[in-house]
Amino acid sequence: MPGRLYHQDPRQRPGRRSLPTPQPSGTDTVMHKIHQIYIDGHFVTPHGTEVAPLYNPSTEQVIGEVRLADETDANAAVAAAKRAFASYSRTTKLERIAILKRLTAAFTDRLDDIKTAMTEEYGAVRGIVEGLIPLAPAMFDEAAKLLESYEFEQTRGTTTVSMDPLGVAVAITPWNLSAVFVAQKVANALAAGCTVVVKPSELSALQTQILTEAFDAADLPPGVVNVITGRGATVGDTLTSHPDVAKVDFTGSTGVGQQIMRNAADTFKRLTLELGGKSPTILLDDADIPSAVGAALTSGFLNNGQTCFAGTRILAPESKLDEVLTAIESAMPAFKAGDPTDAATGVGPVVSQTQFDRVQSYIRLGQEEGAHILTGGEGRPEGLDKGWFVKPTVFTGVTNQMRIAREEIFGPVLVVIAYKDEQEAVAIANDTPYGLQAHVFSQDPERARRTAEQLEAGTVLINRIFGDPEAPFGGMKQSGIGRHHHTYGLESYLEPRAITA
Ligand code: NAD
C-alpha cells in the first residue's frame, strides 16, 4: 500500500504516483525502501539500478535502502526541467508567490517528519532540529515576501533592464541540514523563474524523500522541481557538465566545488558555491569568558561538529589562557555525547563509519603534531560501545600551522590557539584558505567592530554565533562564490538584459 515516509498522506492522489512504504525488517528497526525519484511531476523508478544501504549512525544498523539514479535519469530530469522552463519562466510574480506560499505550507506540514529523519539518518540532536529546521519553510516564505517588492524590470538612465531567469538550475546539497539547503536553493530558483533539478546527497535519502513528498503535495507544474538522488561522480558530474544547465547552486566540500567549477567552465554556467570552513572565534581579552566560551563551544560542536560555519578555531588571549581553558573544562558536561533522541545530549554521532575513521585520524594527528588534549581524545565516549560517536575533543598548545588548525575535520574536534595581541589574533584568524564565518567576543562594541572589520569572512558575528536571516550568506576565499538570502540569492538566478533605445 502506498504511503508517506513516517506518516500517511491524507491528500494522496491515487494513480498519480506511488510512494515508498516503510517495511518491517523482522527486527524492531523499520526498513525504509526508497526506490523512486521524482521527474516531471511523477515518482518514477530510476533507470539506475544500484541500491545503497541507509544506516542509523547511532546504532550502525541498516535502516533501509535507496535505489540511486544514474546518468540517464540525470538527462531525463534536465529534459523535464527544460520543457517546464518554457512556460514557468513566463509566470507572473503573483503566480510564483502563490507557488512559494504552497511550498511554505507543504514544508511546514512535514516539519516533524523532517526532524525525525535528521535524527534517524545522521544523528541530529534536539537543539539542531528544533532550532534550525523551521528555517526550511521560512526560505519559501521569505522568497514570496521578497517577490512582492522586487522589480524584474528596472530603469537605469535611458535603459530598461529586465532581470531574466537564467534557465535550468541544478541544486546539489550535502546530507547535513538537507531541508534547509534544498529549500534555500529551490526558493531562489522558483522566485526567479528558473526550473530546478535537485541532486541531494546519497546519505540523505530519508530527508530527501520527505522533501520530495512536500514538493509533490505543493502541486507544482510538472518538471518545475525534479529530485534525483544519485552519486556525485555519476549524476553530479552529468548535471554539472550538461549543456542545457545554466546554473549550478552547490553546497558541499571545497574539493567537490573545485570539480564543479571545472565542469561548469565549458559552457560558462553561473555558479553559487557554498563550501567548507575553519571558522575562527576570537575571544578578546575583555570578553565575558564563561559566556563567550559557552557560545564558542556551542558553535564548534554544532550538529555534532558537522557544520560548515562552525567555530572550530578558538583564539584565546595569552593573558587569559588559563581562564579560558578552565571555562572550557567546566562547560564540557553540556556537550555530552550520546543518544540524539535524549534531550540531555549535546553531541550525537558523526554521519558514517568513514567520517568516524577520518575524525579519529585527526585526533591522532593532533597528538603527533605536538598538540595536547584538554578534553576528549581517541575512541568512543565512555559507555558507548557502538554507534559512530566521537569524544567531543578540544586541543590546546596548537599553532595555526598544524594541520588540525588548517583542515576542515567535520567532527566534534576543536583547537585553542593562543595569541599575544589583537593584531596577532586578526592575523591568525585570516591565515586560512577558508573565509565562511568568523566570531568576535568582547564587551566593548567599538573594539569588537574594529576587529570584525579586519576579518576575511563572508559573515562576521559579534557576541553571537548565528547569523541574521536577512543578511547575505556565503564565503570568501575557498569557502565559496556568491551569496544566498534575499536579493543576493534571488539575483544569483537572474541575468540582466539591458535594452537602450
Ligand atoms: P560533499 O562535497 O562530499 O558532497 C556534497 C554533494 O556533492 C553531495 O550531494 C555529493 O553527492 C555531491 N558530489 C560529490 N561529488 C560530486 C561531483 N564530482 N560532482 C557533482 N556533485 C558531487 O560534502 P558532504 O560530505 O555531503 O558535506 C560536508 C561538506 O559540505 C563540508 O565540507 C561542509 O563544510 C560543506 N558544507 C558547506 C556549507 C556552506 O553553506 N558553506 C553547508 C553545509 C556543508
Side-chain angles (χ1 to χ4, degrees):
M1 183 183 135
R4 296 199 303 181
L5 191 61
Y6 299 122
H7 292 121
Q8 287 294 305
D9 183 354
R11 294 163 304 172
Q12 286 253 18
R13 287 162 292 164
R16 178 147 186 241
R17 62 213 158 137
S18 119
L19 303 181
T21 312
Q23 307 285 336
S25 66
T27 68
D28 286 347
T29 312
V30 173
M31 282 291 282
H32 300 287
K33 291 187 185 291
I34 298 175
H35 283 186
Q36 295 192 307
I37 53 177
Y38 191 69
I39 297 180
D40 215 10
H42 296 280
F43 283 90
V44 293
T45 301
H47 177 268
T49 53
E50 181 186 350
V51 175
L54 301 170
Y55 295 93
N56 180 333
S58 303
T59 61
E60 300 179 35
Q61 275 186 325
V62 174
I63 52 165
E65 60 186 35
V66 56
R67 179 165 167 173
L68 298 174
D70 67 6
E71 293 90 336
T72 302
D73 298 307
N75 288 327
V78 173
K82 188 180 175 183
R83 282 193 301 277
F85 182 73
S87 55
Y88 186 73
S89 58
R90 292 200 296 271
T91 47
T92 64
K93 260 194 342 183
L94 281 181
E95 287 167 326
R96 288 181 211 166
I97 288 170
I99 282 175
L100 290 164
K101 287 189 171 162
R102 292 208 297 277
L103 283 166
T104 310
F107 270 58
T108 304
D109 185 41
R110 301 305 298 275
L111 277 185
D112 285 344
D113 290 338
I114 296 170
K115 292 173 188 173
T116 306
M118 288 168 69
T119 300
E120 192 175 7
E121 187 162 65
Y122 80 85
V125 298
R126 276 280 183 88
I128 279 285
V129 298
E130 296 300 339
L132 296 186
I133 285 314
L135 288 176
M139 296 286 170
F140 296 112
D141 192 40
E142 281 170 19
K145 286 188 185 128
L146 174 62
L147 276 194
E148 282 168 13
S149 59
Y150 189 78
E151 296 298 343
F152 283 90
E153 197 168 287
Q154 304 164 6
T155 305
R156 299 277 178 266
T158 56
T159 297
T160 306
V161 181
S162 63
M163 301 297 285
D164 298 337
L166 285 170
V168 173
V170 162
I172 302 183
T173 51
W175 50 267
N176 64 340
L177 296 179
S178 189
V180 176
F181 296 122
V182 169
Q184 174 191 60
K185 294 172 193 319
V186 173
N188 283 330
L190 298 198
C194 294
T195 54
V196 202
V197 178
V198 182
K199 207 257 5 122
S201 168
E202 51 278 38
L203 297 178
S204 59
L206 300 188
Q207 297 168 80
T208 298
Q209 180 62 25
I210 296 158
L211 306 182
T212 311
E213 289 168 5
F215 284 126
D216 191 60
D219 267 330
L220 308 174
V224 166
V225 175
N226 307 275
V227 186
I228 53 171
T229 295
R231 296 210 181 273
T234 52
V235 171
D237 199 63
T238 302
L239 294 173
T240 54
S241 47
H242 199 296
D244 290 338
V245 169
K247 154 109 194 172
V248 179
D249 190 341
F250 170 75
T251 297
S253 59
T254 295
V256 173
Q258 287 164 336
Q259 179 58 40
I260 287 174
M261 279 186 91
R262 284 191 281 270
N263 284 357
D266 279 347
T267 51
F268 288 92
K269 297 184 198 322
R270 277 38 180 174
L271 291 176
T272 301
L273 303 176
E274 300 217 329
L275 310 176
K278 195 76 186 176
S279 298
T281 300
I282 301 181
L283 310 178
L284 290 177
D285 58 13
D286 66 346
D288 175 59
I289 298 293
S291 76
V293 160
L297 295 177
T298 303
S299 167
F301 292 136
L302 202 66
N303 217 15
N304 315 338
Q306 302 167 124
T307 309
C308 52
F309 56 81
T312 45
R313 290 185 297 149
I314 299 173
L315 275 49
E318 260 175 22
S319 59
K320 295 272 179 78
L321 186 59
D322 288 345
E323 197 183 332
V324 168
L325 299 186
T326 305
I328 290 175
E329 285 177 307
S330 323
M332 282 311 290
F335 301 96
K336 189 174 158 288
D339 176 3
T341 61
D342 180 345
T345 296
V347 180
V350 295
V351 69
S352 62
Q353 177 77 57
T354 310
Q355 190 57 14
F356 176 82
D357 293 342
R358 191 169 167 271
V359 176
Q360 294 296 328
S361 77
Y362 272 106
I363 297 175
R364 274 193 300 282
L365 175 70
Q367 296 168 85
E368 285 157 20
E369 287 184 305
H372 310 293
I373 289 175
L374 176 70
T375 178
E378 282 179 76
R380 286 187 171 77
E382 207 178 316
L384 295 170
D385 56 3
K386 61 176 188 317
W388 296 311
F389 294 97
V390 173
K391 288 182 192 161
T393 298
V394 181
F395 277 105
T396 61
V398 176
T399 71
N400 202 46
Q401 302 319 312
M402 292 179 181
R403 282 180 56 199
I404 54 166
R406 302 199 77 75
E407 297 173 14
E408 188 185 45
I409 297 173
F410 226 57
V413 180
L414 313 182
V415 300
V416 178
I417 304 173
Y419 69 84
K420 285 193 183 58
D421 54 25
E422 214 172 290
Q423 206 185 349
E424 193 186 23
V426 169
I428 294 172
N430 289 340
D431 178 15
T432 166
Y434 295 111
L436 190 56
Q437 186 158 295
H439 317 83
V440 181
F441 284 86
S442 167
Q443 298 194 69
D444 176 345
E446 298 259 312
R447 194 176 166 212
R449 184 163 289 272
R450 198 171 60 233
T451 306
E453 284 169 355
Q454 299 174 69
L455 296 175
E456 296 163 1
T459 299
V460 185
L461 303 176
I462 297 176
N463 294 331
R464 58 192 281 172
I465 56 168
F466 292 107
D468 177 352
E470 301 276 323
F473 180 76
M476 292 184 182
K477 303 195 280 187
Q478 291 180 31
S479 285
I481 293 179
R483 296 290 182 272
H484 274 115
H485 297 176
H486 287 262
T487 43
Y488 305 94
L490 176 64
E491 291 186 346
S492 75
Y493 281 82
L494 295 168
E495 193 86 89
R497 180 203 313 274
I499 299 183
T500 309

